[in-house]
Amino acid sequence: MTLLAIILALALEQIHPLGNRNRVLLVFTRYANYLERHLNAGRNRHGVLAWCLAVLPLAGLVWLIHGVLYKVTPVLALIWDVAVLYLTMGFRHFSSALTEISLALAENRVVDARLALARWSGQPTSELEINEISRLTIEQGVIDSYRHVFGTMFWFAVLPGPAGAVMYRMSNMLYQKWGGREEILGEAFGRFARRFHEAIDWLPVRLTSASFAVMGDFEDAVFCWRSQAIAWGHYAYGILLASAAGILLASAAGAIGVKLGDPLRQDYTVKYRPELGVGDEADPDYLRRAVGLVWRSVVLWLAVILLLTLVQWLSLS
């Protein structure tokens, strides 16, 4: 049922993508803000309490509903799982933005591409040239594909019912809100959010990077992962830990044979970033290759889940 729920959720999102209209996540964001206003007294234990109040009741509730529905009929439980995945996953969240930028660059609408990238990434883009837009777009796409698809998919498959998907997405959101400030400013309130998310990201980040290597140029992906990921250091996206971002970006760059990282012209200065990947400079053609790599990796994950499901059925028969 896990495999079928993922396939149906992906198909539903292709037909009717949520995009930025996900009101459920917006309500959770307001709830997290409420908890922070009332519980943030600058201590780590307050952050632990706020995190538990934000995540555990919701994850427990969706698991309980799954269990009740499963006792009635597995079909209702499947529908519930698909609904939860539909709200927590988001393949089209990154693929639509990437397609919009790719189309704008193909039609030589550089200004439109800059604006689309700025809306998506939240970074200044007014000074970026075409190769810089392409680099930043691929990077944002790789990071978003992990947190919206692979990370959520992994924990959905590991934990019972849809509780894992809810736990991962809520944890990622709390890391962005609280943990990122702890990492940069040392705020104790967000320490637990950062450390917990670092722990649950450790294995799926590496499995995702391994999938990129298998479905792309294996040797270059492994080489970049081993030799370049650590250099990413503090050049992290606020939505993912620095070490995790470095591993994902280095392996993806090696897998599709493109150079990522490198300096960017932003805020009227040149921002230094380490080089990631080997091969050619990024251009609009590599945007399609990046989407293809993600799709192939998703299919690989589905195949692995299918095999594990078959092994489980055979062991019970």
Side-chain angles (χ1 to χ4, degrees):
M1 193 163 70
T2 297
L3 176 63
L4 183 57
I6 294 173
I7 293 175
L8 290 176
L10 289 172
L12 180 60
E13 197 203 8
Q14 294 298 313
I15 298 172
H16 186 70
L18 277 174
N20 296 323
R21 298 171 295 171
N22 195 329
R23 295 182 179 179
V24 174
L25 297 185
L26 179 60
V27 170
F28 178 80
T29 299
R30 292 173 177 171
Y31 177 52
N33 291 336
Y34 172 84
L35 291 175
E36 183 177 7
R37 286 196 305 269
H38 289 80
L39 296 177
N40 186 0
R43 305 292 292 273
N44 179 55
R45 64 173 179 266
H46 302 137
V48 175
L49 176 61
W51 189 97
C52 291
L53 290 175
V55 177
L56 297 184
L58 186 57
L61 178 62
V62 298
W63 174 76
L64 179 62
I65 294 174
H66 168 88
V68 172
L69 293 176
Y70 191 85
K71 288 184 178 180
V72 177
T73 172
V75 175
L76 288 178
L78 174 62
I79 294 173
W80 173 248
D81 290 356
V82 171
V84 173
L85 276 176
Y86 177 65
L87 293 172
T88 53
M89 291 181 69
F91 191 96
R92 287 291 295 273
H93 179 85
F94 85 93
S95 66
S96 295
L98 201 148
T99 300
E100 179 184 2
I101 296 169
S102 177
L103 181 61
L105 291 177
E107 297 174 353
N108 203 30
R109 294 184 285 112
V110 179
V111 174
D112 291 342
R114 288 171 180 158
L115 292 175
L117 179 57
R119 288 194 301 269
W120 180 28
S121 67
Q123 298 191 49
T125 60
S126 60
E127 304 161 66
L128 300 183
E129 299 298 331
I130 291 179
N131 66 324
E132 294 172 312
I133 295 172
S134 300
R135 265 190 280 138
L136 200 56
T137 299
I138 294 172
E139 292 169 13
Q140 189 71 36
V142 169
I143 297 299
D144 271 15
S145 72
Y146 169 74
R147 71 190 188 99
H148 284 289
V149 181
F150 296 105
T152 305
M153 190 190 306
F154 175 85
W155 285 108
F156 173 76
V158 169
L159 294 185
V166 172
M167 180 275 297
Y168 181 80
R169 287 294 287 125
M170 301 304 103
S171 174
N172 181 258
M173 293 176 68
L174 293 181
Y175 166 71
Q176 295 175 59
K177 293 183 63 63
W178 303 341
R181 296 203 306 267
E182 193 278 335
E183 189 175 19
I184 298 173
L185 303 176
E187 293 186 12
F189 181 77
R191 186 174 303 153
F192 179 79
R194 180 183 66 83
R195 291 181 176 176
F196 184 87
H197 199 66
E198 182 177 21
I200 64 173
D201 259 346
W202 193 93
L203 182 56
V205 160
R206 284 154 180 80
L207 290 177
T208 303
S209 298
S211 303
F212 291 160
V214 171
M215 304 311 293
D217 188 318
F218 184 83
E219 292 185 2
D220 284 349
V222 172
F223 169 79
C224 295
W225 179 351
R226 296 182 60 184
S227 62
Q228 297 178 338
I230 194 172
W232 196 246
H234 297 291
Y235 301 92
Y237 288 79
I239 55 179
L240 204 63
L241 295 164
S243 57
I247 293 171
L248 289 167
L249 294 176
S251 60
I256 60 178
V258 68
K259 290 182 180 178
L260 301 178
D262 282 337
L264 288 177
R265 284 170 288 186
Q266 293 178 318
D267 294 331
Y268 304 101
T269 187
V270 177
K271 292 186 177 180
Y272 170 78
R273 306 183 313 158
E275 180 182 274
L276 297 174
V278 293
D280 300 327
E281 295 290 335
D283 60 39
D285 288 338
Y286 280 102
L287 303 187
R288 291 186 291 272
R289 297 190 190 184
V291 174
L293 177 68
V294 172
W295 263 119
R296 294 194 301 273
S297 300
V298 169
V299 172
L300 175 63
W301 278 48
L302 294 177
V304 171
I305 293 174
L306 174 61
L307 289 176
L308 293 176
T309 302
L310 292 175
V311 169
Q312 184 179 19
W313 285 349
L314 290 175
S315 65
L316 294 176
S317 61

